[in-house]
Amino acid sequence: MAFLPTTLKEVRARGWDALDVILFTGDAYIDHPAFGAAVLGRLLEAEGYRVAIVPQPNWRDDLRDFAKLGAPRLFFGVTAGAMDSMVNHYTANLRLRHDDAYTAGGAAGFRPDRAVTVYTQCLKRLFPHVPVVIGGIEASLRRLTHYDYWSDSLHPSLLVTSGADLLSYGMGDRSILQIARALENGYNAKLLRRLPQVAFLADAAYVDRLDPERTIRLPSHERCCASKEAFGAHFAVIETQSNLLHPVATLVEATGDRMVVVNPPGEPLSTEELDRSFDLPYERAPHPRYAGRGPIPAWEMIKHSVNIHRGCFGGCSFCTISAHQGKFIRSRSERSILAEVERITRMPDFRGYLSDVGAPSANMYRMSGHDRTLCERCRRPSCLHPKRCLNLDNNHRPLLALYDRIRAVKGIKKAFIGSGIRYDLFDDSPYLETVLRHHTSGRLKVAPEHTEEHVLQLMRKPPFALFERLNADFHAICRREGLPYQLIPYFISSHPGCTEQDMRALSEKVLGRLHFNLEQVQDLTPTPMTLSSVLFWTGEDPYTRRKVYVARSQEEKRRQKSWFFAPQGAQRGRRPKKMKN
């Protein structure tokens, strides 16, 4: 199977005189199930649609990249890529990054800031009457009023700023096909507005006709801008609705004289539907157009890895995974996973080592509630916070059986776990010992994130005592098995609620008492549609209305981060040295 076409020459080589859908992406085109544009393109292709991908179009010139393939019969699709373009471009200190992991050679500058808006506006300028559907992580998490860290202000829905006709939020495996079918006979607003998992702009008359029993009117964009309390309440409704197993409410948000309407999602993908996305005939490589331009770092990282499920029920305050992929786990079948492992063993550069058998959280495979009816009534954003749900089945046996079968595949020397592991799921499971004996490259990564209880509560992370127990168990197993391994903890500074005194306490516990040399640390970047970003902007918990300290200035943030590398003198009461950025 050939790559999806990216140029007019490649389109004509397929014998096509026109296209049904053209997808624009801020990433390089890598034909692999880890990259959204490739997945959606292959799904459309499997349904018989003629699809092309335009990766990283030049928005600075005469827009020839946007015009070169002409107008599609159905619609343009636009995504910023696998990352929000602002997170991709800037550090937590708001400094411009000098590289881009999703570009050949790791080169920066091949996508604009706020890529979804820029690409959509370019297309609307050239093809004003062709529908533009936006999606991916940037559009999904900016579908309603959101805090934008880079401008330090609230922004309206991307539907308002971009001029797009439709927004597809969350994972688009099913919705992209529904949208294509709805557009088969031309743009039909009435039909499109019935689809699940889409958002669009409407007038007040349309909203007045909605079923009031299934409609939630959020505080308007203007009200959110005028009142941080209103914005907090706005977020709490959105997060609660996003974490329901079967949400039925339509969300409506006024912005000026227009209404942003967000339809509830459809039923979660079945295992068969998820398998289908991963089983498509990908080339599993970057497009040949990148030959000689250097490696693509994101591809080098994942090319010998396997994703075993989607979703995460951890509900961490700073994380966007559950907001985009959902709280409930959707697992692939063993058949699909093992088939992908076998495909990887046939790659010419494969040397027997899978870099990751993982997922958003590596050890949630096939986990769900014992009693599904309780899950259907649940409104919690996390199954693990403030304490683990008694209804959660955290049985690791299906995952351990999968590991056994992967190890048995011919050509596999070692299958590493590179994704983060939730150690608050272990209990008495042999999971940790199995991972250390068979699936660790020498460095096991976990994310306690902080040491102080009040900060961990705001982060929705488990008590630090659980990490200390993990640390003891880790070293006990390593001693018993003769394994010279390292435990690598991740920590975050400047999270709302965290003061410099809290960072000093973290330093004393982690660098002093536990003797870690920290490598995996970061300063918080508040990203759209996360609780952390709401705490950062409002200075209070939207659920309890309690005030929260926020390190807002870059100097405060630098001082907090410097405690990760505090010399021993700092632990005796002296201020740590300033870090260079």
Side-chain angles (χ1 to χ4, degrees), residues 475-530:
H475 289 293
I477 294 170
C478 287
R479 283 194 299 270
R480 186 173 71 245
E481 300 292 330
L483 302 171
Y485 291 168
Q486 289 180 292
L487 185 64
I488 308 296
Y490 288 72
F491 291 96
I492 292 177
S493 60
S494 302
H495 190 276
C498 178
T499 66
E500 194 170 347
Q501 284 300 107
D502 293 322
M503 291 305 299
R504 175 177 176 169
L506 183 155
S507 178
E508 290 172 348
K509 292 175 182 177
V510 175
L511 303 182
R513 178 157 55 83
L514 297 179
H515 306 294
F516 279 97
N517 292 315
L518 297 183
E519 301 173 19
Q520 307 290 341
V521 299
Q522 66 181 86
D523 191 16
L524 176 74
T525 299
T527 49
M529 205 178 279
T530 60

CSV table of all heavy atoms in Angstrom, one decimal, residues 475-530:
chain,number,residue,atom,x,y,z
A,475,HIS,N,13.9,-1.2,45.2
A,475,HIS,CA,15.3,-1.6,45.6
A,475,HIS,C,15.4,-3.0,46.2
A,475,HIS,O,16.4,-3.7,46.0
A,475,HIS,CB,15.9,-0.5,46.6
A,475,HIS,CG,16.1,0.8,45.9
A,475,HIS,ND1,17.1,1.0,45.0
A,475,HIS,CD2,15.5,2.0,46.0
A,475,HIS,CE1,17.1,2.2,44.5
A,475,HIS,NE2,16.2,2.9,45.2
A,476,ALA,N,14.3,-3.4,46.9
A,476,ALA,CA,14.3,-4.7,47.5
A,476,ALA,C,14.3,-5.8,46.3
A,476,ALA,O,15.1,-6.8,46.4
A,476,ALA,CB,13.1,-4.9,48.4
A,477,ILE,N,13.5,-5.6,45.3
A,477,ILE,CA,13.5,-6.5,44.2
A,477,ILE,C,14.8,-6.5,43.4
A,477,ILE,O,15.4,-7.5,43.1
A,477,ILE,CB,12.3,-6.1,43.2
A,477,ILE,CG1,11.0,-6.4,43.9
A,477,ILE,CG2,12.4,-7.0,42.0
A,477,ILE,CD1,9.8,-5.8,43.2
A,478,CYS,N,15.4,-5.3,43.2
A,478,CYS,CA,16.6,-5.2,42.5
A,478,CYS,C,17.8,-5.9,43.2
A,478,CYS,O,18.6,-6.6,42.6
A,478,CYS,CB,17.0,-3.7,42.3
A,478,CYS,SG,16.0,-2.9,41.0
A,479,ARG,N,17.8,-5.8,44.6
A,479,ARG,CA,18.8,-6.5,45.3
A,479,ARG,C,18.6,-8.0,45.2
A,479,ARG,O,19.6,-8.7,45.0
A,479,ARG,CB,18.7,-6.0,46.8
A,479,ARG,CG,19.4,-4.6,47.1
A,479,ARG,CD,19.6,-4.4,48.6
A,479,ARG,NE,18.3,-4.5,49.3
A,479,ARG,CZ,17.5,-3.4,49.5
A,479,ARG,NH1,17.9,-2.2,49.1
A,479,ARG,NH2,16.4,-3.5,50.2
A,480,ARG,N,17.4,-8.4,45.3
A,480,ARG,CA,17.1,-9.9,45.3
A,480,ARG,C,17.4,-10.5,43.9
A,480,ARG,O,18.0,-11.6,43.8
A,480,ARG,CB,15.6,-10.1,45.6
A,480,ARG,CG,15.3,-11.6,45.8
A,480,ARG,CD,13.9,-11.8,46.3
A,480,ARG,NE,12.9,-11.5,45.3
A,480,ARG,CZ,12.0,-10.5,45.4
A,480,ARG,NH1,12.0,-9.7,46.5
A,480,ARG,NH2,11.1,-10.2,44.5
A,481,GLU,N,17.2,-9.7,42.9
A,481,GLU,CA,17.4,-10.2,41.5
A,481,GLU,C,18.7,-9.8,40.9
A,481,GLU,O,19.0,-10.2,39.8
A,481,GLU,CB,16.3,-9.7,40.6
A,481,GLU,CG,14.9,-10.1,41.0
A,481,GLU,CD,14.6,-11.6,40.8
A,481,GLU,OE1,15.3,-12.2,39.9
A,481,GLU,OE2,13.8,-12.2,41.6
A,482,GLY,N,19.5,-9.0,41.7
A,482,GLY,CA,20.8,-8.6,41.2
A,482,GLY,C,20.7,-7.7,40.0
A,482,GLY,O,21.5,-7.8,39.1
A,483,LEU,N,19.8,-6.7,40.1
A,483,LEU,CA,19.5,-5.8,39.0
A,483,LEU,C,20.0,-4.4,39.3
A,483,LEU,O,19.6,-3.8,40.2
A,483,LEU,CB,18.0,-5.7,38.7
A,483,LEU,CG,17.3,-7.0,38.4
A,483,LEU,CD1,15.8,-6.8,38.3
A,483,LEU,CD2,17.8,-7.6,37.0
A,484,PRO,N,20.9,-3.9,38.5
A,484,PRO,CA,21.5,-2.6,38.7
A,484,PRO,C,20.7,-1.5,38.2
A,484,PRO,O,21.2,-0.6,37.4
A,484,PRO,CB,22.9,-2.7,38.0
A,484,PRO,CG,22.6,-3.6,36.9
A,484,PRO,CD,21.6,-4.6,37.3
A,485,TYR,N,19.4,-1.4,38.5
A,485,TYR,CA,18.5,-0.5,37.9
A,485,TYR,C,18.3,0.8,38.7
A,485,TYR,O,18.6,0.9,39.9
A,485,TYR,CB,17.1,-1.1,37.7
A,485,TYR,CG,17.1,-2.2,36.7
A,485,TYR,CD1,16.0,-3.1,36.6
A,485,TYR,CD2,18.1,-2.4,35.8
A,485,TYR,CE1,15.9,-4.1,35.7
A,485,TYR,CE2,18.1,-3.4,34.9
A,485,TYR,CZ,17.0,-4.3,34.8
A,485,TYR,OH,17.0,-5.3,33.9
A,486,GLN,N,17.8,1.8,38.0
A,486,GLN,CA,17.5,3.1,38.6
A,486,GLN,C,16.0,3.4,38.6
A,486,GLN,O,15.3,3.1,37.6
A,486,GLN,CB,18.2,4.3,37.9
A,486,GLN,CG,19.7,4.3,38.1
A,486,GLN,CD,20.3,5.5,37.3
A,486,GLN,OE1,20.3,5.5,36.1
A,486,GLN,NE2,20.8,6.5,38.0
A,487,LEU,N,15.5,4.0,39.6
A,487,LEU,CA,14.1,4.6,39.6
A,487,LEU,C,14.2,6.1,39.3
A,487,LEU,O,14.9,6.8,40.0
A,487,LEU,CB,13.5,4.4,41.0
A,487,LEU,CG,12.0,4.7,41.2
A,487,LEU,CD1,11.2,3.8,40.3
A,487,LEU,CD2,11.6,4.6,42.6
A,488,ILE,N,13.5,6.5,38.3
A,488,ILE,CA,13.5,7.8,37.8
A,488,ILE,C,12.2,8.5,38.1
A,488,ILE,O,11.2,8.2,37.4
A,488,ILE,CB,13.8,7.9,36.3
A,488,ILE,CG1,15.1,7.1,36.0
A,488,ILE,CG2,14.0,9.3,35.8
A,488,ILE,CD1,16.4,7.6,36.6
A,489,PRO,N,12.1,9.4,39.1
A,489,PRO,CA,10.9,10.1,39.4
A,489,PRO,C,10.7,11.4,38.6
A,489,PRO,O,11.7,12.1,38.5
A,489,PRO,CB,10.9,10.3,40.9
A,489,PRO,CG,12.4,10.4,41.2
A,489,PRO,CD,13.1,9.6,40.1
A,490,TYR,N,9.5,11.7,38.2
A,490,TYR,CA,9.2,13.0,37.6
A,490,TYR,C,8.6,13.9,38.7
A,490,TYR,O,7.8,13.5,39.5
A,490,TYR,CB,8.2,12.9,36.5
A,490,TYR,CG,8.7,12.2,35.2
A,490,TYR,CD1,8.9,10.9,35.2
A,490,TYR,CD2,8.8,13.0,34.1
A,490,TYR,CE1,9.3,10.3,34.0
A,490,TYR,CE2,9.2,12.4,32.9
A,490,TYR,CZ,9.5,11.0,32.8
A,490,TYR,OH,9.9,10.4,31.7
A,491,PHE,N,9.0,15.2,38.7
A,491,PHE,CA,8.4,16.2,39.6
A,491,PHE,C,8.1,17.5,38.8
A,491,PHE,O,8.7,17.8,37.8
A,491,PHE,CB,9.4,16.5,40.7
A,491,PHE,CG,9.6,15.4,41.7
A,491,PHE,CD1,10.7,14.5,41.5
A,491,PHE,CD2,8.7,15.2,42.7
A,491,PHE,CE1,10.9,13.5,42.4
A,491,PHE,CE2,8.9,14.1,43.6
A,491,PHE,CZ,10.0,13.3,43.4
A,492,ILE,N,7.1,18.2,39.4
A,492,ILE,CA,6.7,19.5,38.8
A,492,ILE,C,6.8,20.6,39.8
A,492,ILE,O,6.4,20.4,40.9
A,492,ILE,CB,5.2,19.4,38.3
A,492,ILE,CG1,5.0,18.4,37.1
A,492,ILE,CG2,4.6,20.7,37.9
A,492,ILE,CD1,3.6,18.2,36.7
A,493,SER,N,7.3,21.7,39.3
A,493,SER,CA,7.4,22.9,40.1
A,493,SER,C,6.3,23.9,39.7
A,493,SER,O,5.8,23.8,38.6
A,493,SER,CB,8.7,23.6,40.1
A,493,SER,OG,9.1,23.9,38.7
A,494,SER,N,6.0,24.8,40.5
A,494,SER,CA,5.1,26.0,40.2
A,494,SER,C,3.6,25.6,39.9
A,494,SER,O,2.9,26.3,39.3
A,494,SER,CB,5.6,26.8,39.0
A,494,SER,OG,6.9,27.3,39.3
A,495,HIS,N,3.2,24.4,40.4
A,495,HIS,CA,1.8,24.0,40.3
A,495,HIS,C,1.1,24.9,41.2
A,495,HIS,O,1.5,25.2,42.3
A,495,HIS,CB,1.6,22.6,40.6
A,495,HIS,CG,0.2,22.1,40.2
A,495,HIS,ND1,-0.9,22.3,41.1
A,495,HIS,CD2,-0.3,21.5,39.1
A,495,HIS,CE1,-2.0,21.8,40.5
A,495,HIS,NE2,-1.6,21.3,39.3
A,496,PRO,N,-0.2,25.4,40.9
A,496,PRO,CA,-1.0,26.1,41.8
A,496,PRO,C,-1.0,25.4,43.2
A,496,PRO,O,-1.2,24.2,43.3
A,496,PRO,CB,-2.3,26.2,41.1
A,496,PRO,CG,-2.0,26.2,39.7
A,496,PRO,CD,-0.8,25.3,39.6
A,497,GLY,N,-0.9,26.2,44.2
A,497,GLY,CA,-0.9,25.7,45.6
A,497,GLY,C,0.5,25.4,46.1
A,497,GLY,O,0.7,25.3,47.3
A,498,CYS,N,1.5,25.4,45.2
A,498,CYS,CA,2.9,25.1,45.6
A,498,CYS,C,3.7,26.4,45.8
A,498,CYS,O,3.7,27.3,45.0
A,498,CYS,CB,3.6,24.3,44.5
A,498,CYS,SG,5.3,24.0,44.8
A,499,THR,N,4.2,26.6,47.0
A,499,THR,CA,5.0,27.7,47.4
A,499,THR,C,6.5,27.3,47.3
A,499,THR,O,6.9,26.2,47.2
A,499,THR,CB,4.7,28.2,48.8
A,499,THR,OG1,5.1,27.2,49.7
A,499,THR,CG2,3.2,28.4,49.0
A,500,GLU,N,7.4,28.4,47.5
A,500,GLU,CA,8.8,28.1,47.5
A,500,GLU,C,9.2,27.2,48.7
A,500,GLU,O,10.1,26.4,48.6
A,500,GLU,CB,9.6,29.4,47.5
A,500,GLU,CG,11.1,29.1,47.2
A,500,GLU,CD,11.9,30.4,46.9
A,500,GLU,OE1,11.2,31.5,46.8
A,500,GLU,OE2,13.1,30.3,46.9
A,501,GLN,N,8.5,27.4,49.8
A,501,GLN,CA,8.7,26.5,51.0
A,501,GLN,C,8.3,25.1,50.7
A,501,GLN,O,9.0,24.1,51.1
A,501,GLN,CB,7.9,27.0,52.2
A,501,GLN,CG,8.4,28.2,52.8
A,501,GLN,CD,9.8,28.0,53.4
A,501,GLN,OE1,10.8,28.5,52.8
A,501,GLN,NE2,9.9,27.3,54.5
A,502,ASP,N,7.3,24.9,49.9
A,502,ASP,CA,7.0,23.5,49.5
A,502,ASP,C,8.1,22.9,48.6
A,502,ASP,O,8.4,21.7,48.7
A,502,ASP,CB,5.6,23.5,48.7
A,502,ASP,CG,4.5,23.9,49.6
A,502,ASP,OD1,4.4,23.5,50.7
A,502,ASP,OD2,3.6,24.6,49.1
A,503,MET,N,8.7,23.7,47.7
A,503,MET,CA,9.8,23.2,46.9
A,503,MET,C,11.0,22.9,47.8
A,503,MET,O,11.7,22.0,47.5
A,503,MET,CB,10.1,24.2,45.8
A,503,MET,CG,9.0,24.3,44.7
A,503,MET,SD,8.5,22.7,44.0
A,503,MET,CE,10.1,22.2,43.3
A,504,ARG,N,11.2,23.7,48.8
A,504,ARG,CA,12.3,23.4,49.7
A,504,ARG,C,12.1,22.1,50.4
A,504,ARG,O,13.0,21.3,50.5
A,504,ARG,CB,12.4,24.5,50.7
A,504,ARG,CG,13.5,24.3,51.8
A,504,ARG,CD,13.7,25.4,52.7
A,504,ARG,NE,14.6,25.1,53.7
A,504,ARG,CZ,15.1,26.0,54.6
A,504,ARG,NH1,14.8,27.2,54.5
A,504,ARG,NH2,16.0,25.6,55.5
A,505,ALA,N,10.8,21.8,50.8
A,505,ALA,CA,10.5,20.6,51.5
A,505,ALA,C,10.7,19.4,50.5
A,505,ALA,O,11.2,18.4,50.9
A,505,ALA,CB,9.1,20.6,52.0
A,506,LEU,N,10.3,19.6,49.3
A,506,LEU,CA,10.5,18.6,48.2
A,506,LEU,C,12.0,18.3,48.1
A,506,LEU,O,12.4,17.1,48.1
A,506,LEU,CB,9.9,19.0,46.9
A,506,LEU,CG,10.0,18.0,45.7
A,506,LEU,CD1,8.9,18.4,44.7
A,506,LEU,CD2,11.3,18.1,45.0
A,507,SER,N,12.8,19.3,48.0
A,507,SER,CA,14.2,19.2,47.8
A,507,SER,C,14.8,18.4,49.0
A,507,SER,O,15.7,17.5,48.8
A,507,SER,CB,14.9,20.5,47.7
A,507,SER,OG,16.3,20.4,47.6
A,508,GLU,N,14.4,18.7,50.2
A,508,GLU,CA,15.0,18.1,51.4
A,508,GLU,C,14.6,16.6,51.4
A,508,GLU,O,15.4,15.7,51.8
A,508,GLU,CB,14.5,18.7,52.7
A,508,GLU,CG,15.0,20.1,52.9
A,508,GLU,CD,14.4,20.9,54.0
A,508,GLU,OE1,13.3,20.4,54.5
A,508,GLU,OE2,14.9,21.9,54.4
A,509,LYS,N,13.4,16.2,51.0
A,509,LYS,CA,13.0,14.8,51.0
A,509,LYS,C,13.6,14.0,49.9
A,509,LYS,O,14.1,12.9,50.0
A,509,LYS,CB,11.5,14.7,50.9
A,509,LYS,CG,10.8,15.3,52.2
A,509,LYS,CD,9.2,15.3,52.0
A,509,LYS,CE,8.6,15.8,53.2
A,509,LYS,NZ,7.1,15.9,53.1
A,510,VAL,N,13.6,14.6,48.7
A,510,VAL,CA,14.0,13.9,47.5
A,510,VAL,C,15.5,13.9,47.3
A,510,VAL,O,16.1,12.8,47.0
A,510,VAL,CB,13.3,14.4,46.2
A,510,VAL,CG1,13.7,13.7,45.0
A,510,VAL,CG2,11.8,14.2,46.4
A,511,LEU,N,16.1,15.1,47.4
A,511,LEU,CA,17.6,15.1,47.2
A,511,LEU,C,18.3,14.8,48.5
A,511,LEU,O,19.4,14.2,48.4
A,511,LEU,CB,18.0,16.6,46.8
A,511,LEU,CG,17.3,17.2,45.5
A,511,LEU,CD1,17.9,18.5,45.2
A,511,LEU,CD2,17.5,16.2,44.3
A,512,GLY,N,17.7,15.1,49.6
A,512,GLY,CA,18.4,14.9,50.9
A,512,GLY,C,18.2,13.5,51.4
A,512,GLY,O,19.0,12.6,51.3
A,513,ARG,N,17.0,13.2,51.9
A,513,ARG,CA,16.7,12.0,52.5
A,513,ARG,C,16.7,10.8,51.6
A,513,ARG,O,17.2,9.7,52.0
A,513,ARG,CB,15.3,12.0,53.2
A,513,ARG,CG,14.9,10.8,53.9
A,513,ARG,CD,13.9,11.1,55.0
A,513,ARG,NE,12.7,11.8,54.6
A,513,ARG,CZ,11.7,11.2,54.0
A,513,ARG,NH1,11.6,9.9,53.8
A,513,ARG,NH2,10.6,12.0,53.6
A,514,LEU,N,16.2,10.9,50.4
A,514,LEU,CA,16.1,9.8,49.4
A,514,LEU,C,17.3,9.7,48.5
A,514,LEU,O,17.5,8.8,47.7
A,514,LEU,CB,14.8,9.8,48.7
A,514,LEU,CG,13.5,9.7,49.5
A,514,LEU,CD1,12.3,9.7,48.6
A,514,LEU,CD2,13.5,8.3,50.3
A,515,HIS,N,18.1,10.8,48.4
A,515,HIS,CA,19.3,10.8,47.7
A,515,HIS,C,19.2,10.6,46.1
A,515,HIS,O,20.0,10.0,45.5
A,515,HIS,CB,20.3,9.8,48.2
A,515,HIS,CG,20.6,9.9,49.6
A,515,HIS,ND1,21.2,10.9,50.2
A,515,HIS,CD2,20.3,9.0,50.7
A,515,HIS,CE1,21.3,10.8,51.5
A,515,HIS,NE2,20.7,9.6,51.8
A,516,PHE,N,18.1,11.2,45.6
A,516,PHE,CA,17.9,11.2,44.1
A,516,PHE,C,18.7,12.3,43.5
A,516,PHE,O,18.8,13.4,44.0
A,516,PHE,CB,16.4,11.3,43.8
A,516,PHE,CG,15.6,10.0,43.9
A,516,PHE,CD1,14.9,9.8,45.0
A,516,PHE,CD2,15.6,9.1,42.9
A,516,PHE,CE1,14.1,8.6,45.1
A,516,PHE,CE2,14.9,7.9,43.0
A,516,PHE,CZ,14.2,7.7,44.1
A,517,ASN,N,19.2,12.0,42.3
A,517,ASN,CA,19.8,13.1,41.4
A,517,ASN,C,18.7,13.3,40.3
A,517,ASN,O,18.6,12.4,39.5
A,517,ASN,CB,21.1,12.7,40.8
A,517,ASN,CG,22.2,12.6,41.9
A,517,ASN,OD1,22.3,13.5,42.7
A,517,ASN,ND2,23.0,11.5,41.9
A,518,LEU,N,18.0,14.4,40.4
A,518,LEU,CA,16.9,14.5,39.5
A,518,LEU,C,17.3,14.9,38.1
A,518,LEU,O,18.1,15.8,37.9
A,518,LEU,CB,15.9,15.6,40.1
A,518,LEU,CG,15.3,15.3,41.5
A,518,LEU,CD1,14.4,16.4,41.9
A,518,LEU,CD2,14.6,14.0,41.4
A,519,GLU,N,16.6,14.2,37.2
A,519,GLU,CA,16.8,14.5,35.8
A,519,GLU,C,15.5,14.9,35.1
A,519,GLU,O,15.4,15.8,34.3
A,519,GLU,CB,17.4,13.3,35.0
A,519,GLU,CG,18.7,12.8,35.6
A,519,GLU,CD,19.1,11.5,35.0
A,519,GLU,OE1,18.6,11.1,33.9
A,519,GLU,OE2,20.0,10.8,35.6
A,520,GLN,N,14.4,14.2,35.5
A,520,GLN,CA,13.1,14.4,34.8
A,520,GLN,C,12.3,15.3,35.7
A,520,GLN,O,11.5,14.9,36.5
A,520,GLN,CB,12.4,13.0,34.7
A,520,GLN,CG,13.2,12.0,34.0
A,520,GLN,CD,13.4,12.3,32.5
A,520,GLN,OE1,12.7,13.0,31.9
A,520,GLN,NE2,14.4,11.6,31.9
A,521,VAL,N,12.5,16.6,35.4
A,521,VAL,CA,11.7,17.7,36.2
A,521,VAL,C,11.2,18.7,35.2
A,521,VAL,O,11.7,18.8,34.1
A,521,VAL,CB,12.6,18.4,37.2
A,521,VAL,CG1,13.1,17.4,38.2
A,521,VAL,CG2,13.8,19.1,36.5
A,522,GLN,N,10.1,19.4,35.6
A,522,GLN,CA,9.6,20.4,34.7
A,522,GLN,C,8.8,21.5,35.5
A,522,GLN,O,8.4,21.2,36.6
A,522,GLN,CB,8.7,19.8,33.7
A,522,GLN,CG,7.4,19.2,34.3
A,522,GLN,CD,6.5,18.6,33.2
A,522,GLN,OE1,6.7,17.4,32.9
A,522,GLN,NE2,5.6,19.3,32.7
A,523,ASP,N,8.8,22.6,34.9
A,523,ASP,CA,8.0,23.7,35.4
A,523,ASP,C,6.6,23.6,34.8
A,523,ASP,O,6.5,23.3,33.6
A,523,ASP,CB,8.7,25.0,35.0
A,523,ASP,CG,8.1,26.2,35.7
A,523,ASP,OD1,7.4,26.1,36.7
A,523,ASP,OD2,8.4,27.4,35.3
A,524,LEU,N,5.6,23.8,35.5
A,524,LEU,CA,4.2,23.7,35.0
A,524,LEU,C,4.0,24.6,33.8
A,524,LEU,O,4.2,25.8,33.9
A,524,LEU,CB,3.2,23.9,36.1
A,524,LEU,CG,1.7,23.9,35.6
A,524,LEU,CD1,1.3,22.4,35.4
A,524,LEU,CD2,0.8,24.6,36.6
A,525,THR,N,3.4,24.1,32.7
A,525,THR,CA,2.8,24.9,31.7
A,525,THR,C,1.3,24.6,31.8
A,525,THR,O,0.8,23.5,31.5
A,525,THR,CB,3.3,24.4,30.3
A,525,THR,OG1,4.7,24.6,30.2
A,525,THR,CG2,2.7,25.2,29.2
A,526,PRO,N,0.5,25.7,32.1
A,526,PRO,CA,-0.9,25.5,32.2
A,526,PRO,C,-1.5,25.4,30.8
A,526,PRO,O,-1.4,26.3,30.0
A,526,PRO,CB,-1.4,26.8,32.9
A,526,PRO,CG,-0.2,27.4,33.5
A,526,PRO,CD,1.0,27.0,32.6
A,527,THR,N,-2.0,24.2,30.5
A,527,THR,CA,-2.6,24.0,29.1
A,527,THR,C,-4.1,24.1,29.1
A,527,THR,O,-4.7,23.8,30.2
A,527,THR,CB,-2.1,22.6,28.6
A,527,THR,OG1,-2.4,21.6,29.6
A,527,THR,CG2,-0.6,22.7,28.3
A,528,PRO,N,-4.7,24.4,28.0
A,528,PRO,CA,-6.2,24.6,28.0
A,528,PRO,C,-7.0,23.4,28.4
A,528,PRO,O,-6.6,22.3,28.2
A,528,PRO,CB,-6.4,24.9,26.5
A,528,PRO,CG,-5.1,25.5,26.0
A,528,PRO,CD,-4.1,24.8,26.7
A,529,MET,N,-8.1,23.7,29.1
A,529,MET,CA,-9.1,22.7,29.5
A,529,MET,C,-8.5,21.7,30.5
A,529,MET,O,-8.8,20.6,30.5
A,529,MET,CB,-9.7,22.0,28.3
A,529,MET,CG,-11.1,21.4,28.7
A,529,MET,SD,-11.9,20.6,27.3
A,529,MET,CE,-12.6,22.0,26.4
A,530,THR,N,-7.6,22.2,31.4
A,530,THR,CA,-7.1,21.4,32.5
A,530,THR,C,-7.5,22.2,33.8
A,530,THR,O,-7.6,23.4,33.8
A,530,THR,CB,-5.6,21.2,32.5
A,530,THR,OG1,-4.9,22.5,32.5
A,530,THR,CG2,-5.2,20.4,31.2
